[in-house]
Amino acid sequence: MTQPNRGGEYDVAIVGGGLVGSALAWGLARSGQRVVVLDEGDIAVRPSRGNFALVWVQGKGLGMPEYAGWTKQSSDDWAGFAGLLRDQTGIDVAFRRPGGFMPALSEEDLQARANAMMRLHNQPDMIRYPYEVMDRETLRRELPVIGPEVVGGTYCPLDGHCNSLRLLRTLHTGIGLLGVDYRPNHRVERIERRDGGFRLATAGGEIGAGKVVLAAGHDSARLAPMVGLSAPVRPQRGHIIVTEKTAPFLHHPTGYVRQTDEGGVMIGDSFEEAGFDTTLQPGVSSAIAARAIRMFPLLGRLNVVRSWAALRVLTPDGFPIYEQSATAPGAFVVTCHSGVTLAANHALTLAPLIAAGDLGDRFKVFSARRFHVPQAA
Amino acid sequence: MSGQATRFDFDIAVIGAGPAGLAAAALAAGRGASVVLLDEQAEPGGQIYRAVTETPVRDRKVLGPDYWHGAELLGPLRDSGAVHWPGSVVWSVARPREDGPRKDGADGPRRIQIGLSRNGVAALLTVRHVIMATGALERPFPIPGWTLPGVLGAGAAQVLLKTSGLVPSGATVMAGSGPLLWLLAWQYLQAGARIDAILDTTPRENWRAALPLLPGFLRSPYLGKGMKLMLEVRRKLTVIGNVTGLRAQGDGVLKSVTYSRNGVEQRLPADTLLLHQGVVPNLNLANATGCAQRWDEVQRCWRPTTDDWGATSVEGVALAGDGAGIGGARAAEEAGRLAALDALHRLGRIDRTQRDEAAAPFRAALDRALTGRAFLDTLYRPAEPFRVPADDTIVCRCEEITAGAVREAVRLGCSGPNQAKSFLRCGMGPCQGRLCGPTVTEVIAAERGVSPAEVGYYRLRPPVKPITLAELAALPKTEADIDAVLKH
Amino acid sequence: MFRRLPEVAGDAIPFTIDGRPASARAGDSVAAALLANGVTTCRNTPVSGAPRGPYCMMGVCFDCLVTIDGTGNRQGCQVRVAPGMAVETQDGKREVER
């Protein structure tokens, strides 16, 4: 399966060792490719260390039905993916798909959610999946710990979650076992096309590869133009709070609150345009805490042990970019803000296509060319 | 708040009521600044002078004259007009964001916001200047079995003595190195407490390295006393030197201590094992505030970067005392005064000349207090096996992560503690790395064959102490804060 | 095991440990009072169930977590004993209700 190695010592150089990069590396190595992963050091903008760990389908894809289908496919493939990882590494990434809820705190909010789900499913070419709009009593049978302000909610049986930090570690363990060369402290400075392949100038020396995959999150914006691609991504800050370990009491993930397999309760999140500043804002944390307590009043007694702000990697429309360069074939860009949900797709579906060198027609809709609209008509 | 209005803004907040904090607050308030002294404990004194106002140990010779010096710092604080808020847990120090209209109506730098929790209620204070006097904590002493009940820090045992007049009963072993170990043993001797053995882990070669520094040490007006005290302990107690390995053993609770000496293992029955190998700066708050820090090769610890006045890399935030690097209680006191003078200067209350003139005697006293420190730092630098433990030893007590797991993470490509933290949960528990941070840095450095400075330290975030979600939820928030969460 | 120095005076403060009557002195933290009453183990960890007792006595190690008057995971060394206080040792993870 290995293609002629024209660029140097590797078939593929992946820029970025987060969830997207390591899932692709795992998939590419399984496809027989010789892979190097070039990563930054211990301190880096690294959303993969700060995400909320949902494997989520509900509500995604309004405006791009293909994204809903792509998301559902990953959700469907996730259990198998987790099984492959467990078989390979012995590590359980704690994927569970018990169905997820979006509790609503007002009738208006519930109506807005119901309408959004309806509009989503009314799109042409939209895949079908089950969901329910629940009134308070129905919801309370499933989630007995909701507070008096919760009026109802939406439910989708496809929603789940995992232990995303363990997923990152497991992917790194897995790529190690597959012979992938992982190189931290190798920030990529420049990429040049040479001899039918690519030369990457990094903080740790020059690397050659036949293909290059940009999975560098925010840094892909800088790197993409070097290989005739574009990745117009911006950081959007989100605060997350975690409580102390607590005996299991919340058996389904919700969009804002979930209990981890280790017992801590993760509470999110916010949407702030603040550049690369990850300083925590007490007022934003407070607003997150207040909403979580309205949904689940029992949470108020728990101690917060950690909180942080991470930076989502967002495109202008919020949907992923998957694209091979037209001017520098062999260079790919992969960027999304759902590296957990889409990990199964990246590892099992996308990586083999990159290995084969052709993404095919299905991914045309995810090209960054959708952002290249004329400025004025 | 009970009827009386509580102030929530001050010129200066001093965090920590040990020697540095007490001296800083007294000086700054005495010169007219409005000062709040925030401290976790119910009574002032910090750890070194813990319970100095109320200790049940009445016989002054037990705790010794250096301890009772702490009481002398309290009068000036009382007279200064500083507001003392005991029982205040500071969980965050930050500047409000720079965007948006100013609300404080003042010129100059934006005010600093302090998140604190008192009696189960969180509040935000605004101040113009912060002096962190967060002191030290005992350096982690990771040995097999150090998590067993019955194993405590020697500093912990000293707190029990100071606050409650408690001393060990049953078989008691002390192990490690450093001044505090000898001081506690001496205090136990005065109190008539039982000590079965002291296992001295000071490496033999440290004496050779420290010897050239001995003359400086002998000039010290304070430290020489420590030597006398150690000699008395050595005369009266069983001290086993050159100990190169330690294990605590027991089935659910400590039963014995095994030590190696000259390649031979011996086992001592023990109900209590008191461990100590020096202290390191308690830097979590400074780190979470964004203060730059550096690796100190001599003291083998991270310390926030400070200038001669204690100013950190974050504008308006200073550090004084052991929290900025270990210098001991007397040095901390003088550093507190220097930081207070600099704060007054920065707030425009005194000019540069006034600051420098007032500082001269304190600087001289600081130099005196630090005389001989290099000797102690060199002599008591802990031996490598006790800083970089073997694979089966737990390094992160909260998440129960072993040194071996950290080494495995390095082999997976983790080049520093933050990636190792996400891979292993090491340092993610409630202690937020206080008991594993120094060890994890050194284990990674040794495994990679690079210096700890290159490896780095945990990047911490508030809250640095737990607060309840309800406390957090009750904090004031702006429309923008709420919109950032709800409007999406 | 710890004992009180004979010179320590002051009134006894009654409290309970897992429902059993116990006695502390003014100035005792909950952790100190546990040790003074012969209780060296205050909890089993939520990770492996290993027993733990007070270790640092200054609020940094979080090993002396206990349930105090019905609230779980309080730092025993940072809370003073009060008359009638109900202190309970803990087993594993905290319950959300307490």
Side-chain angles (χ1 to χ4, degrees):
Chain A
M1 218 185 277
T2 305
Q3 296 193 333
N5 179 11
R6 288 174 302 181
E9 48 277 35
Y10 299 100
D11 296 322
V12 189
I14 296 176
V15 186
L19 283 170
V20 174
S22 52
L24 288 169
W26 188 82
L28 282 161
R30 282 181 88 234
S31 305
Q33 301 277 290
R34 280 174 299 153
V35 180
V36 63
V37 175
L38 304 170
D39 206 358
E40 292 192 35
D42 192 52
I43 302 276
V45 182
R46 208 178 284 267
S48 294
R49 295 200 300 224
N51 64 60
F52 200 64
L54 294 175
V55 178
W56 204 254
V57 177
Q58 178 174 174
K60 288 181 176 175
L62 185 56
M64 191 192 272
E66 295 84 353
Y67 178 57
W70 179 239
T71 297
K72 179 178 178 295
Q73 181 192 333
S74 201
S75 165
D76 290 339
D77 286 350
W78 234 102
F81 173 54
L84 289 171
L85 288 173
R86 191 176 48 240
D87 292 345
Q88 185 201 12
T89 65
I91 308 172
D92 176 10
V93 298
F95 171 69
R96 306 282 182 273
R97 199 197 207 189
F101 293 90
M102 290 294 284
L105 288 165
S106 68
E107 290 295 348
E108 188 189 356
D109 185 18
L110 181 61
Q111 198 55 53
R113 287 193 190 293
N115 287 345
M117 289 301 279
M118 199 172 64
R119 289 210 316 278
L120 176 70
H121 284 262
N122 285 343
Q123 295 179 109
D125 304 324
M126 176 69 190
I127 43 105
R128 298 278 131 198
Y129 61 79
Y131 73 93
E132 280 177 60
V133 179
M134 291 181 175
D135 63 15
R136 176 180 166 77
E137 279 317 304
T138 316
L139 179 60
R140 207 158 68 92
R141 279 197 291 277
E142 305 293 330
L143 279 182
V145 288
I146 55 171
E149 289 187 68
V150 176
V151 299
T154 52
Y155 167 75
C156 173
L158 305 186
D159 293 331
H161 56 163
C162 72
N163 185 319
S164 61
L165 290 178
R166 209 181 297 146
L167 172 63
L168 183 62
R169 174 181 137 211
T170 306
L171 286 169
H172 278 249
T173 306
I175 63 176
L177 291 171
L178 289 165
V180 170
D181 200 353
Y182 173 75
R183 305 239 187 136
N185 303 305
H186 276 60
R187 181 180 193 268
V188 174
E189 309 294 348
R190 265 187 344 276
I191 308 172
E192 281 171 18
R193 198 151 178 249
R194 206 186 297 161
D195 309 328
F198 297 89
R199 305 298 298 175
L200 295 92
T202 82
E206 198 175 272
I207 305 280
K211 296 195 190 80
V212 62
V213 180
L214 303 181
H218 296 291
D219 212 21
S220 288
R222 176 180 65 92
L223 296 169
M226 297 179 192
V227 287
L229 288 163
S230 83
V233 292
R234 72 173 199 283
Q236 184 190 54
R237 185 167 69 194
H239 281 58
I240 294 178
I241 298 167
V242 178
T243 74
E244 61 205 349
K245 290 183 168 70
T246 306
F249 70 97
L250 190 59
H251 303 290
H252 295 268
T254 74
Y256 314 115
V257 178
R258 70 179 198 95
Q259 187 169 24
T260 70
D261 59 308
E262 285 138 343
V265 182
M266 277 185 111
I267 302 166
D269 51 0
S270 56
F271 302 86
E272 306 157 77
E273 303 297 331
F276 285 92
D277 177 9
T278 54
T279 314
L280 285 167
Q281 310 299 325
V284 174
S285 295
S286 180
I288 289 170
R291 177 177 61 184
I293 290 172
R294 288 172 70 197
M295 285 184 182
F296 305 109
L298 283 173
L299 294 176
R301 296 168 65 90
L302 297 182
N303 289 304
V304 174
V305 291
R306 288 182 301 124
S307 65
W308 65 87
L311 301 173
R312 294 182 194 87
V313 185
L314 275 196
T315 57
D317 60 9
F319 300 119
I321 299 171
Y322 299 112
E323 188 167 13
Q324 177 166 202
S325 173
T327 56
F332 298 81
V333 62
V334 177
T335 185
C336 68
H337 79 275
S338 299
V340 179
T341 300
L342 297 175
N345 276 3
H346 292 163
L348 302 175
T349 303
L350 187 62
L353 296 176
I354 291 174
D358 186 6
L359 296 183
D361 287 346
R362 181 184 180 184
F363 289 87
K364 289 217 161 74
V365 66
F366 294 113
S367 158
R369 272 166 290 188
R370 69 185 188 267
F371 305 119
H372 303 172
V373 287
Q375 286 301 303
Chain B
M1 280 156 241
S2 60
Q4 204 180 349
T6 304
R7 270 190 82 164
F8 284 104
D9 65 298
F10 293 88
D11 291 335
I12 301 171
V14 178
I15 301 169
L22 290 168
L27 190 147
R31 286 177 174 245
S34 66
V35 177
V36 63
L37 173 60
L38 305 168
D39 189 55
E40 284 181 357
Q41 301 302 328
E43 292 292 326
Q47 301 307 326
I48 191 92
Y49 305 131
R50 184 83 182 262
V52 71
T53 56
E54 55 168 5
T55 177
V57 184
R58 298 282 162 217
D59 181 351
R60 289 174 79 96
K61 82 167 194 309
V62 172
L63 292 171
D66 286 350
Y67 173 75
W68 290 103
H69 168 75
E72 294 167 24
L73 297 172
L74 303 177
L77 178 77
R78 248 189 326 268
D79 299 341
S80 71
V83 178
H84 177 208
W85 284 4
S88 300
V89 177
V90 173
W91 48 267
S92 164
V93 170
R95 287 188 176 283
R97 56 185 151 206
E98 294 290 328
D99 53 346
R102 293 194 62 147
K103 294 193 185 116
D104 54 16
D107 294 328
R110 287 189 178 238
R111 298 207 167 201
I112 298 166
Q113 217 170 42
I114 296 182
L116 66 92
S117 172
R118 271 189 99 190
N119 305 320
V121 180
L124 296 176
L125 279 185
T126 50
V127 300
R128 294 168 68 195
H129 195 89
V130 173
I131 299 174
M132 295 181 182
T134 47
L137 49 84
E138 291 188 272
R139 180 193 293 277
F141 202 147
I143 59 167
W146 70 310
T147 54
L148 279 171
V151 182
L152 290 88
Q158 203 184 36
V159 168
L160 288 167
L161 175 62
K162 290 168 179 170
T163 60
S164 300
L166 288 169
V167 295
S169 62
T172 304
V173 176
M174 299 177 70
S177 67
L180 194 148
L181 191 76
W182 300 108
L183 173 61
L184 179 66
W186 182 84
Q187 289 169 331
Y188 279 171
L189 268 179
Q190 312 308 305
R194 169 178 172 178
I195 305 171
D196 292 73
I198 298 178
L199 305 175
D200 184 355
T201 61
T202 310
R204 215 188 307 242
E205 60 272 19
N206 281 13
W207 281 102
R208 275 196 295 279
L211 219 52
L213 302 163
L214 187 60
F217 177 75
L218 294 176
R219 278 201 307 278
S220 160
Y222 306 111
L223 305 175
K225 280 187 284 187
M227 197 57 93
K228 283 199 205 100
L229 183 148
M230 182 177 88
L231 292 175
E232 185 181 339
V233 171
R234 284 185 177 278
R235 220 169 36 243
K236 296 184 177 167
L237 292 173
T238 307
V239 177
I240 299 165
N242 301 316
V243 169
T244 53
L246 280 171
R247 270 183 293 143
Q249 287 146 319
D251 181 15
V253 63
L254 179 72
K255 291 276 190 259
S256 65
V257 179
T258 297
Y259 66 93
S260 355
R261 182 172 189 263
N262 302 328
V264 180
E265 286 207 336
Q266 301 269 3
R267 182 186 289 227
L268 297 171
D271 298 302
T272 303
L273 169 62
L274 303 177
L275 294 172
H276 182 77
Q277 55 175 350
V279 296
V280 295
N282 187 356
L283 47 67
N284 277 44
L285 183 60
N287 181 310
T289 303
C291 299
Q293 57 187 44
R294 67 182 176 88
W295 174 255
D296 183 325
E297 186 59 32
V298 177
Q299 295 191 343
R300 289 204 85 80
C301 63
W302 291 96
R303 57 197 294 180
T305 312
T306 51
D307 70 8
D308 286 349
W309 302 92
T312 68
S313 63
V314 176
E315 195 190 336
V317 176
L319 260 160
D322 277 359
I326 304 305
R330 291 299 185 121
E333 202 179 310
E334 306 306 339
R337 294 185 178 115
L338 293 172
L341 285 173
D342 193 46
L344 293 167
H345 169 54
R346 285 166 185 257
L347 295 175
R349 289 187 169 267
I350 56 175
D351 63 27
R352 181 180 285 267
T353 316
Q354 289 169 313
R355 177 194 70 174
D356 294 351
E357 279 173 13
F362 304 141
R363 222 171 260 298
L366 177 62
D367 288 345
R368 269 201 307 283
L370 290 175
T371 303
R373 178 55 53 180
F375 173 78
L376 288 180
D377 290 343
T378 307
L379 178 61
Y380 291 129
R381 174 193 286 208
E384 172 130 1
F386 299 122
R387 289 185 282 108
V388 186
D391 278 354
D392 60 348
T393 308
I394 285 179
V395 296
C396 167
R397 296 171 63 101
C398 295
E399 298 287 343
E400 302 180 48
I401 308 299
T402 63
V406 174
R407 292 191 177 98
E408 199 184 309
V410 173
R411 289 193 287 273
L412 280 182
C414 290
S415 58
N418 292 290
Q419 189 82 341
K421 180 176 169 178
S422 19
F423 275 28
L424 302 174
R425 299 190 60 80
C426 189
M428 263 190 199
C431 100
Q432 302 188 341
R434 289 171 177 90
L435 274 285
C436 70
T439 315
V440 169
T441 289
E442 291 223 58
V443 168
I444 294 175
E447 187 68 13
R448 287 183 56 204
V450 299
S451 82
E454 192 176 321
V455 166
Y457 193 73
Y458 292 132
R459 210 169 162 198
L460 304 170
R461 297 275 180 259
V464 297
K465 286 279 171 107
I467 55 170
T468 66
L469 201 68
E471 282 181 85
L472 186 57
L475 288 177
K477 29 198 170 294
T478 63
E479 282 299 313
D481 294 333
I482 295 167
D483 286 353
V485 176
L486 298 185
K487 285 208 176 153
H488 191 80
Chain C
M1 285 193 279
F2 284 81
R3 68 176 171 88
R4 203 78 70 166
L5 290 176
E7 65 173 295
V8 175
D11 294 337
I13 299 175
F15 73 109
T16 60
I17 303 172
D18 292 329
R20 300 184 309 273
S23 175
R25 303 265 172 188
D28 279 356
S29 65
V30 168
L34 287 171
L35 293 171
N37 283 274
V39 178
T40 42
T41 303
C42 61
R43 67 183 183 111
N44 297 327
T45 65
V47 177
S48 73
R52 290 286 170 89
Y55 181 77
C56 80
M57 291 303 297
M58 56 176 280
V60 297
C61 80
F62 292 80
D63 262 329
C64 64
L65 297 176
V66 285
T67 298
I68 298 177
D69 288 337
T71 300
N73 275 2
R74 308 247 0 236
Q75 288 183 273
C77 72
Q78 299 296 88
V79 178
R80 291 206 173 191
V81 178
M85 192 176 253
V87 177
E88 294 166 81
T89 58
Q90 297 191 160
D91 187 14
K93 291 174 182 134
R94 178 186 179 169
E95 301 283 335
V96 71
E97 286 92 353
R98 53 193 325 248

